[in-house]
Every structure is written in C-alpha cells, then in structure tokens.
Amino acid sequence: MNQVIACIDTFNHTAETVCDYANWASVQMQASLTLLHVLEKNEAPVKANLSGSIGLGAREHLLEELSSLDEQRSKILREQGRLLLEEAKKRVDVTAIPSLETLQRHGDLIENLLDLEASTRLLVMGREGSHAHETSHIGSHLESVIRTVQRPILISVSDFKAPSRFMIAYDASPTAKKVLERVAFSPLLKGIPCFVLMVGAKTETQLEQLSEAKQTLEKAGFLVETDIRAGEVDSVIHQTLKDVEADLLVMGAYGHSRIRQFLVGSTTTKLLRSAQVPLLLLR
C-alpha cells in the first residue's frame, strides 16, 4: 500500500491541479504515483438492437458496419486516453518521487478504484471532471467514491497551492481521534502548521478534548493552534478557514456527530461545491 493514485478523465485545468496535488503528496510521502484513466461503460461503444422487421441481408450489413464503427470508436477512445495520460505525465516532476506509472482501464470507475484499493495509500480526485458540473464522470462519482473507497481521499479545488497551514475539523469522536492519529503519524502534512477547530460551546469537556487533541499533534512535532466556535457547522468551518488562512481542510469522512454529519447525504455536495480549499477526507 504505497502508491498515490490520481484520477484523470481529460487533460484540462482540473486535471493539471489533480496532477499537481498528487505530485506534491507523492513527494511528501515518498510514494509512487499512478495516473489513472478509466474508460467508463457509458463511453464504450453501444450495440444497436436490429431485431425488427428489417430484411436479413440489410440487417447483417448494418451489423457489420456498426461493428466496424464500434471498433474504430474504441480505438479512438483508447488512443485519446493514452494521449491525455502522456500529457498528465509531463506535468509530474519524476525526479522527486520514487516512480511514475500511467494506467488505462475500462469499466466502472469505482470498481476499478476498489480493485486498486489494497495498493492505494492516497487517492487524489478533482471536484469536477471533464466539465465544471456533475455530468462529468469523475465529478459525478465523487460522493460515491467517498462513501465506498476506504482510503484517504484528497479532493483538489481550483489552482494548486502547496499547503502552508491546514485545519482539522474535530469533534473528539472515535473517528476524529483516528483522524488525528493518521495526521500525526503520516509524513503527508509533516512540518505544516495546524489549526484544530471544534464547533459548539466552550464547555469544560470540549476544552479538555481540544487540549488532548493539541497534545497529540504537538507530540508528533506539529505547531498547533486551537479554537472552539459556536454556530452552524458549515458556516463556521468556511469562515474559520478564511480567518486562519488555511490551505487544506482535514476531516473524517463518516460518523454521526454534528461535524461528521456534514459529510453525509446532501450536505456532502454542498461542501464540495462551496469549498475554496482542497479537502483531505480520512477514516
């Protein structure tokens, strides 16, 4: 389990940003990088139904022509995928990472990611796919990937910027404590100042929980600031990111508390649409 996988569906600005964040993560963790392009089923040739009253000879002729066109289209799509992976490869600084691989696969994106899950250390995806709306297959699959793939997921947003400060949305739940441990023991964010945010009232219990979180990260060598702020979770998170000038938001992907519910259901889409910084989702 030592590779970063970057999902590429076409080579546009989103793909460039995905490549940049994947390259940065590979350097930070000294992990191999794989640029993945999946030719999905809905992009593959579609067989026509010619079972109607058309004559036998004409039907056979049309089937032959359709088969030939399908084959040509399949070749074109494969070549298009190969070329976009070559363009993506040029974006990567191969001198700073252990190795770089390009991988083209057919089928369902999520099925392919699950097939590669055992060797995946981090998955990097863009918030949008080919276009800046949900019709593109990577963008439209993002929430399903978050729910299904049991690996850390870095979601790129806008232009690449190497994080100079990251923020953890924390609620002292078992999941959130695991997030802290993952951050503490991973080289991905080493050396980057951290801000830990809790949303709610400044009770004695929450102050104690926040102090414990700070100690965990400080023992791992992080420079840590903390705060507890009241209000609606999404608004507080977005405002605090601006206030502390954080370049990355780290959160647990699942759970039942106020913060963790923010990533479940329709609010997932809301967060992904409105976030101005990349998100690192951990389990």
Side-chain angles (χ1 to χ4, degrees):
M1 190 176 73
N2 195 38
Q3 68 172 333
V4 173
I5 293 184
C7 291
I8 310 292
D9 67 348
T10 191
F11 200 71
N12 56 7
H13 182 63
T14 297
E16 290 178 342
T17 304
V18 168
C19 289
D20 292 344
Y21 275 108
N23 195 172
W24 167 80
S26 296
V27 172
Q28 289 288 107
M29 297 189 293
Q30 279 301 289
S32 300
L33 174 57
T34 297
L35 304 175
L36 173 67
H37 172 252
V38 177
L39 182 61
E40 291 224 277
K41 294 174 183 177
N42 59 3
E43 295 179 274
V46 178
K47 297 296 183 182
N49 181 5
L50 300 179
S51 58
S53 58
I54 188 171
L56 178 61
R59 183 164 65 243
E60 289 179 349
H61 177 68
L62 285 174
L63 284 171
E64 289 177 1
E65 288 193 348
L66 284 171
S67 178
S68 177
L69 288 172
D70 283 348
E71 185 178 351
Q72 291 178 43
R73 183 170 183 267
S74 180
K75 287 181 179 179
I76 291 172
L77 290 172
R78 287 198 301 271
E79 179 63 12
Q80 183 182 49
R82 186 189 68 80
L83 291 174
L84 72 88
L85 285 173
E86 286 300 313
E87 288 300 311
K89 189 175 180 180
K90 295 175 184 177
R91 188 83 180 181
V92 177
D93 180 7
V94 295
T95 65
I97 60 176
S99 66
L100 173 63
E101 178 186 1
T102 60
L103 180 61
Q104 186 179 58
R105 286 196 169 195
H106 288 71
D108 180 75
L109 173 64
I110 295 177
E111 289 178 359
N112 277 285
L113 291 176
L114 288 174
D115 186 50
L116 297 166
E117 189 174 51
S119 63
T120 301
R121 193 168 174 184
L122 175 70
L123 175 64
V124 184
M125 299 179 67
R127 182 166 59 182
E128 294 86 23
S130 302
H131 309 286
H133 52 70
E134 286 77 14
T135 57
S136 56
H137 75 259
I138 285 183
S140 65
H141 285 344
L142 186 52
E143 188 171 348
S144 296
V145 171
I146 292 170
R147 291 176 177 275
T148 307
V149 178
Q150 301 298 307
R151 289 290 180 265
I153 301 174
L154 176 59
I155 302 165
S156 68
V157 176
S158 187
D159 298 330
F160 169 74
K161 181 182 180 182
S164 59
R165 178 185 297 272
F166 68 96
M167 187 177 90
I168 300 177
Y170 185 70
D171 62 6
S173 65
T175 299
K177 290 178 180 179
K178 288 181 181 178
V179 167
L180 279 184
E181 291 174 1
R182 285 182 175 272
V183 170
F185 293 106
S186 170
L188 179 62
L189 300 174
K190 288 293 184 183
I192 304 175
C194 173
F195 190 94
V196 182
L197 171 71
M198 293 188 77
V199 179
K202 291 186 178 181
T203 65
E204 184 176 341
T205 298
Q206 287 206 321
L207 287 168
E208 184 178 340
Q209 291 170 338
L210 194 55
S211 177
E212 291 174 354
K214 182 178 182 180
Q215 291 175 25
T216 297
L217 292 171
E218 286 181 335
K219 287 179 180 178
F222 286 91
L223 180 64
V224 186
E225 294 182 68
T226 64
D227 197 9
I228 301 175
R229 299 187 179 189
E232 291 297 321
V233 174
D234 55 341
S235 299
V236 172
I237 288 176
H238 288 308
Q239 186 58 50
T240 306
L241 284 167
K242 294 178 182 178
D243 293 344
V244 304
E245 298 182 339
D247 306 309
L248 176 70
L249 173 61
V250 181
M251 298 183 72
Y254 283 97
H256 302 287
S257 74
R258 293 181 67 204
I259 282 183
R260 286 176 287 141
Q261 281 179 346
F262 190 49
L263 283 180
V264 179
S266 60
T267 50
T268 304
T269 303
K270 181 180 179 181
L271 174 63
L272 294 175
R273 285 177 177 172
S274 59
Q276 299 300 309
V277 300
L279 288 81
L280 177 60
L281 305 183
L282 302 174
R283 288 174 173 79

